[in-house]
Every structure is written in C-alpha cells, then in structure tokens.
Amino acid sequence: GQNIDQPTEMTATEGAIVQINCTYQTSGFNGLFWYQQHAGEAPTFLSYNVLDGLEEKGRFSSFLSRSKGYSYLLLKELQMKDSASYLCAVVDSNYQLIWGAGTKLIIKP
Amino acid sequence: GAVVSQHPSWVICKSGTSVKIECRSLDFQATTMFWYRQFPKQSLMLMATSNEGSKATYEQGVEKDKFLINHASLTLSTLTVTSAHPEDSSFYICSARAGDMGDTGELFFGEGSRLTVL
C-alpha cells in the first residue's frame, strides 16, 4: 500500500530551527510537496521537490532523497506565525497526490 | 500564482436541507478538481476527484448520492451536500490542478467552506 509518515506534533522555540521529516512508500514517484496549513484555513504551497538535494527558499528549505524515500522541511529563524500544520504529499505514478496526516508545529516564545 | 475561489465561505443550515458549494478557477482551466473534508484537528480527507465532463471518482466510504459533485466546465465544480445532518458539519475544501496528466500535480486550493448543520 501507499504510505506517508510524518510526526504528529513538534514543538520549537521562537528564533530556533526545526526540521520536519517525511518518509514515503508509494507506487512510483513524481515529486513531493510541502504545504502549510493554519487552523481553519486552506493549505498553502511551500515547496516542490522532484530531484535529490536541497532547495532553499528564504527561511524555508526542503530536502529530498528519492533512494531513501525521505524528505524534510527545514524552518529557520522561527516566528510565532509559523505555528501551523505542515503537510507532506507525494505525487505517485498515476499523478495522484498521496497526503501525509500532517505535522502540527507549536512555536513557544 | 493561480487563484481558486470557493463560495460560500461559511454556511449554516437546518438538518435535512441541501447545501451547494462552488469552486471556481479564476485564471486557469482546471481539468481536475478535488474535494476534501477536514474535521477539527484532523488532516485533509479526500472525498472525490472530478474531471471536467465526466463523473466524479469517489473515495471509499464517501456516499456519492449524498455528496453530489458536478464539474460541468473547466472553471467550475460544485459539491452539493444533500439532506445534510449535524455529522456533516465540517470544513470542505476544493483544489484544482491545471493542465493534463503528466504535469507536476501542483494543487491550488480554495479558501474552504465551513458548513454547520443545526
């Protein structure tokens, strides 16, 4: 079966760095997305990786290793507004999105 | 980026009535639209996938006669919750994907519609 695993909840301190991991087992792979979702709102796009390596975009970076079925989202200089759920989603061989359950990130002052 | 508009943002209705939610792609043609449901403190749950001009594909456990989906044009999909009951109260979110199969699959989300059934 298809499976996306990510931690349920993480806590970090304002100004610090946090890494949210995502491992996947899917039928084929055509890219991996990270979305941010604040409570009561729709998800917003953060990043898309299809090749191995690190992609940096401001305070957020996303890493992919296809051979390991592994990705992480790195958030630097954490701000209180970064408190949200972070969703990992993989595009499978049929170009369907397989969603993880999301990681709730709690930022403390 | 591409914009997806969802309406209404919130709706309150009486038990037994039907509610229609619209999802529009404003600046692109959406060949595929997805409908999700999200209960409080839970992740997105895919309800159905709709392709323009064809019947929607429903996920296991989702009643197609209760959640009617219509995708009559490349810019509009509608979800109708028929004979709504309090347990149908939830946050319904649509998303749209531009282009044909073989694209990256990036989704553009609507703002969501919060349904409360009394």
Side-chain angles (χ1 to χ4, degrees):
Chain A
Q2 312 216 79
N3 194 47
I4 309 285
D5 283 320
Q6 48 182 132
T8 303
E9 187 175 295
M10 298 181 71
T11 303
T13 305
E14 190 177 15
I17 300 174
V18 71
Q19 176 175 313
I20 303 174
N21 296 326
C22 172
T23 57
Y24 61 89
Q25 295 166 320
T26 57
S27 56
F29 179 84
N30 283 295
L32 185 146
F33 288 96
W34 283 97
Y35 280 86
Q36 179 192 61
Q37 185 181 26
H38 286 99
E41 299 180 11
T44 55
F45 170 80
L46 290 179
S47 68
Y48 172 72
N49 294 68
V50 67
L51 299 177
D52 290 349
L54 183 70
E55 299 224 354
E56 298 185 69
K57 192 183 297 184
R59 292 189 300 114
F60 292 10
S61 302
S62 56
F63 172 84
L64 174 67
S65 169
R66 289 171 297 172
S67 62
K68 295 182 179 179
Y70 167 70
S71 172
Y72 67 73
L73 180 69
L74 192 71
L75 293 77
K76 305 175 185 176
E77 301 169 16
L78 286 171
Q79 302 174 8
M80 297 303 293
K81 67 178 181 180
D82 297 329
S83 293
S85 287
Y86 291 85
L87 307 174
C88 170
V90 172
V91 185
D92 72 6
S93 57
N94 293 318
Y95 294 93
Q96 299 302 315
L97 270 178
I98 312 299
W99 290 90
T103 298
K104 182 179 180 181
L105 177 63
I106 300 169
I107 310 296
K108 295 185 175 180
Chain B
V3 177
V4 174
S5 176
Q6 193 172 333
H7 177 81
S9 300
W10 59 272
V11 58
I12 301 174
C13 70
K14 292 183 178 179
S15 184
T17 61
S18 295
V19 175
K20 180 186 284 188
I21 301 170
E22 295 186 347
C23 180
R24 294 180 184 273
S25 57
L26 297 186
D27 52 2
F28 68 100
Q29 293 184 328
T31 53
T32 306
M33 287 186 170
F34 303 88
W35 286 95
Y36 296 85
R37 182 167 54 184
Q38 186 174 36
F39 292 106
K41 300 183 179 180
Q42 295 187 26
S43 186
L44 300 171
M45 188 192 82
L46 180 65
M47 298 176 67
T49 302
S50 72
N51 294 296
E52 184 267 339
S54 62
K55 290 183 179 180
T57 302
Y58 289 80
E59 296 300 304
Q60 191 174 9
V62 178
E63 301 173 57
K64 59 182 179 182
D65 293 331
K66 180 171 184 61
F67 299 99
L68 301 178
I69 291 172
N70 183 282
H71 192 165
S73 77
L74 285 170
T75 59
L76 174 65
S77 176
T78 60
L79 167 67
T80 302
V81 183
T82 62
S83 187
H85 288 95
E87 58 265 29
D88 298 323
S89 299
S90 186
F91 192 48
Y92 293 87
I93 308 172
C94 74
S95 67
R97 183 169 73 196
D100 301 323
M101 297 286 281
D103 64 18
T104 64
E106 180 177 353
L107 296 181
F108 303 96
F109 284 87
E111 306 94 331
S113 301
R114 184 162 300 284
L115 170 64
T116 301
V117 184
L118 302 176

